[in-house]
């Protein structure tokens, strides 16, 4: 068994935390921004220093590859993203890149024999913070392999037209044309050239920390559905309309939301998660009774039967009036649970066991590029703990010992795959 170097990994974490440093412990590093270019320049510098070959594709995804002893074999790739949300932390995404670099550096410096070429890759625009949607590049690169409903949301021409959230006169395509990292379509991650993908990521939840485990072998990305629930009332004057005559769509929605929580909680499944995070209120004026409410519900669980039970509850809202208002339920989108490649999951689990690193199976409630890639290539993920479960915020933290444990697990899992 081989292990990665804690000090060398820590140096990378500290160095990369400067690119987009927001001044209070975290970063804002949008894809294709000057800060993102600094991070990419540093990546290229360090990877060239170990003799890696650098390539990029038409979405500016960036690849560094070291050769194996059998040049005709396909590559094994470790990939994650280097962009962040606004005021994000120093671990989400970038840790998967830095641990991938650390794995390559360990292989080269310790002369570890391996047959396949091994690559570390930076995905462009995973967060979609400036140019939506999230997981843009993997959606484009894996498009031919994705379920139709998902694929149509990631057509390359639509992605190129995505407008900057800061300046709508600038598109993602403009930013892509301006970056020195835009390369050739023939360099894309593809099943012709690549054998398998690993993505190390912070958990973004509290499960590993609560269980006292250092590493999670990720089995799947949870299936989910997203519905819109709409209420139709009557707008009237707030001062002149008696309470018993009102058709207040917001009051109706509030009642229905409480009902949803009560009924879903009766299913008694604490691992089921559901969220109403968005609400539209019309006319949204403090002197007018609202005549229209539209709120979201996002429901996630591995088991399709359980998701259907929740959906039945959601749909049942339509069958009655709420505070004299009509209700309509509409699907926004849904996706099935995406299971990772069993062989790779076992390489992760087995490597952690053999290294005596405490571990468990875990699923991912959040989306990652790996879930799109898994439609195209054998893929899996490795989670390391998130302190207090925090992510997408500046307090994001994973002790360097746990980062190194995750890197060592990825190194040995890659080497197990390499032997096959
Ligand atoms: Zn991420």
């Amino acid at each position: 068994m081989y292990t990665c170097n804690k000090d060398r990994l820590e140096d990378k974490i500290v160095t990369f935390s400067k690119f987009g440093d927001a001044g209070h412990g975290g970063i804002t590093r949008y894809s294709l921004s000057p800060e993102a270019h600094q991070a990419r320049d540093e990546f290229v510098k360090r990877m060239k220093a170990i003799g890696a070959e650098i390539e990029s594709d038409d979405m500016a995804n960036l690849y560094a590859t070291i050769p194996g002893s059998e040049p005709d074999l396909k590559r094994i790739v470790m990939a994650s993203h280097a962009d962040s949300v606004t005021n994000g932390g120093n671990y989400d995404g970038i840790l998967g890149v830095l641990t991938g670099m650390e794995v390559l550096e360990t292989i080269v410096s310790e002369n570890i024999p391996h047959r396949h070429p091994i690559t570390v890759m930076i995905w462009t625009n995973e967060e979609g913070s400036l140019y939506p949607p999230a997981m843009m590049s993997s959606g484009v690169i894996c498009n031919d392999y994705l379920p139709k409903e998902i694929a149509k949301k990631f057509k390359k021409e639509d992605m190129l037209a995505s407008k900057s959230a800061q300046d709508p006169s600038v598109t993602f395509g403009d930013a892509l044309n301006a970056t020195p990292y835009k390369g050739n379509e023939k360099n894309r991650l593809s099943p012709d050239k690549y054998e398998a993908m690993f993505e190390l990521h912070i958990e973004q939840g509290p499960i590993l920390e609560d269980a006292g485990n250092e590493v999670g072998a990720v089995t799947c990305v949870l299936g989910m559905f997203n519905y819109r629930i709409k209420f139709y009332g009557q707008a009237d004057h707030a001062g002149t309309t008696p309470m018993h005559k009102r058709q207040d769509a917001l009051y109706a929605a509030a009642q229905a939301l409480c009902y949803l929580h009560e009924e879903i909680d009766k299913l008694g499944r604490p691992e089921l998660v559901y969220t109403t995070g968005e609400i539209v209120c019309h006319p949204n004026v403090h002197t007018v009774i609202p005549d229209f409410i539209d709120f979201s519900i996002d429901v996630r669980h591995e088991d399709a039967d359980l998701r259907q039970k929740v959906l039945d509850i959601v749909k049942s809202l339509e069958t009655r009036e709420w505070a004299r208002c009509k209700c309509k339920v509409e699907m926004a989108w849904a996706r099935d649970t995406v299971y990772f490649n069993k062989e790779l999951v076992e390489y992760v689990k087995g490597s952690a066991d053999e290294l005596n690193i405490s571990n468990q199976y875990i699923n991912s409630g959040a989306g990652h590029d790996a879930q799109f890639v898994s439609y195209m290539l054998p893929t899996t993920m490795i989670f390391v703990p998130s302190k207090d479960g925090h992510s997408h915020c500046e307090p994001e933290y994973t002790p360097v010992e746990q980062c190194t444990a995750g890197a060592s697990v990825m190194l040995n899992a890659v080497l197990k795959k390499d032997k096959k």
Side-chain angles (χ1 to χ4, degrees):
M1 301 303 283
Y2 298 95
T3 53
C4 289
N5 184 305
K6 177 169 78 82
D7 295 339
R8 191 171 51 201
L9 180 57
E10 187 164 34
D11 171 62
K12 285 189 280 290
I13 294 170
V14 170
T15 301
F16 280 76
S17 70
K18 293 176 188 141
F19 307 132
D21 184 354
H24 15 73
I27 53 157
T28 298
R29 191 164 60 218
Y30 300 132
S31 211
L32 305 180
S33 67
E35 300 76 30
H37 285 124
Q38 288 174 343
R40 284 169 172 240
D41 293 347
E42 184 72 21
F43 171 87
V44 168
K45 186 180 97 188
R46 290 182 184 236
M47 291 296 92
K48 278 188 172 164
I50 59 162
E53 182 196 354
I54 310 296
E55 297 167 318
S56 65
D57 66 27
D58 56 314
M59 292 294 284
N61 298 307
L62 187 58
Y63 309 74
T65 303
I66 58 169
S69 57
E70 298 180 32
D72 293 340
L73 293 182
K74 293 182 194 178
R75 300 169 175 186
I76 299 169
V77 61
M78 299 167 284
S80 197
H81 60 98
D83 62 325
S84 80
V85 296
T86 307
N87 292 119
N90 292 310
Y91 297 86
D92 181 344
I94 190 66
L95 188 63
V97 174
L98 301 181
T99 50
M101 294 165 71
E102 177 58 34
V103 167
L104 287 199
E105 287 164 340
T106 304
I107 290 171
V108 170
S109 67
E110 298 189 23
N111 236 324
I112 300 173
H114 59 101
R115 298 160 57 224
H116 297 72
I118 304 177
T119 302
V120 54
M121 170 186 179
I122 297 178
W123 284 105
T124 301
N125 200 30
E126 193 272 351
E127 297 290 4
S129 304
L130 201 53
Y131 306 100
M135 292 155 52
M136 179 192 275
S137 289
S138 52
V140 170
I141 302 282
C142 307
N143 207 274
D144 292 346
Y145 302 85
L146 297 176
K148 277 197 192 81
E149 282 302 297
I150 302 174
K152 72 178 185 200
K153 291 194 220 160
F154 290 93
K155 292 293 169 210
K156 188 179 172 189
E157 57 270 28
D158 297 336
M159 299 300 102
L160 295 179
S162 172
K163 292 185 171 68
S164 163
Q166 282 178 340
D167 177 359
S169 70
V170 179
T171 65
F172 177 77
D174 296 333
L176 198 55
N177 285 329
T179 175
Y181 286 109
K182 185 181 168 189
N184 197 313
E185 192 170 331
K186 75 170 172 40
N187 291 331
R188 283 183 178 192
L189 183 77
S190 76
D192 304 337
K193 257 169 77 178
Y194 288 84
E195 177 103 19
M197 185 181 110
F198 292 84
E199 179 168 6
L200 184 147
H201 204 278
I202 57 168
E203 181 201 331
Q204 305 184 262
I207 290 169
L208 290 174
E209 186 180 51
D210 288 353
N213 285 326
E214 290 175 281
V215 161
V218 187
T219 56
C220 65
V221 177
L222 297 182
M224 62 183 290
F225 65 77
N226 201 310
Y227 269 65
R228 305 298 309 198
I229 304 173
K230 299 178 180 186
F231 296 85
Y232 300 87
Q234 174 63 50
D236 279 305
H237 196 287
T240 59
T241 314
M243 298 309 286
H244 71 276
K245 288 201 159 181
R246 293 183 179 204
Q247 289 175 273
D248 180 338
L250 180 54
Y251 182 51
Q255 287 188 339
L257 185 58
C258 291
Y259 173 83
L260 271 181
H261 275 248
E262 283 158 20
E263 293 302 309
I264 296 173
D265 290 352
K266 279 183 198 161
L267 296 171
R269 301 293 289 269
E271 77 287 5
L272 172 76
V273 288
Y274 59 99
T275 306
T276 292
E278 196 181 1
I279 183 166
V280 177
C281 176
H282 182 270
N284 209 26
V285 173
H286 77 274
T287 54
V288 182
I289 297 162
D291 64 349
F292 176 69
I293 294 291
D294 170 0
F295 71 73
S296 62
I297 184 157
D298 168 308
V299 177
R300 305 186 191 209
H301 194 275
E302 181 177 346
D303 177 20
D305 292 340
L306 185 64
R307 292 199 306 274
Q308 184 59 48
K309 281 189 184 138
V310 178
L311 185 53
D312 291 343
I313 295 170
V314 171
K315 285 184 169 166
S316 76
L317 293 177
E318 271 189 345
T319 61
R320 55 183 269 203
E321 275 194 352
W322 297 88
R324 293 183 290 278
C325 295
K326 283 211 160 45
C327 173
K328 232 172 122 39
V329 173
E330 286 171 16
M331 185 170 93
W333 56 280
R335 66 152 198 250
D336 290 334
T337 295
V338 178
Y339 288 95
F340 287 129
N341 181 272
K342 282 205 169 73
E343 178 195 354
L344 299 184
V345 173
E346 291 313 310
Y347 291 159
V348 171
K349 179 83 172 71
S351 296
D353 286 342
E354 289 165 37
L355 287 161
N356 272 321
I357 290 170
S358 57
N359 68 83
Q360 64 175 92
Y361 292 115
I362 192 168
N363 54 48
S364 176
H368 298 286
D369 290 317
Q371 98 198 38
F372 284 170
V373 177
S374 73
Y375 289 100
M376 181 170 86
L377 287 182
T379 300
T380 198
M381 294 188 76
I382 301 159
F383 277 175
V384 292
S386 296
K387 187 169 184 313
D388 302 323
H390 291 314
S391 75
H392 281 193
C393 59
E394 295 190 323
E396 234 172 49
Y397 180 67
T398 306
V400 68
E401 291 76 16
Q402 291 177 347
C403 297
T404 312
S408 296
V409 168
M410 184 153 70
L411 166 63
N412 289 280
V414 165
L415 293 173
K416 281 180 193 291
K417 179 66 189 168
D418 178 66
K419 287 202 177 70
K420 288 284 155 176

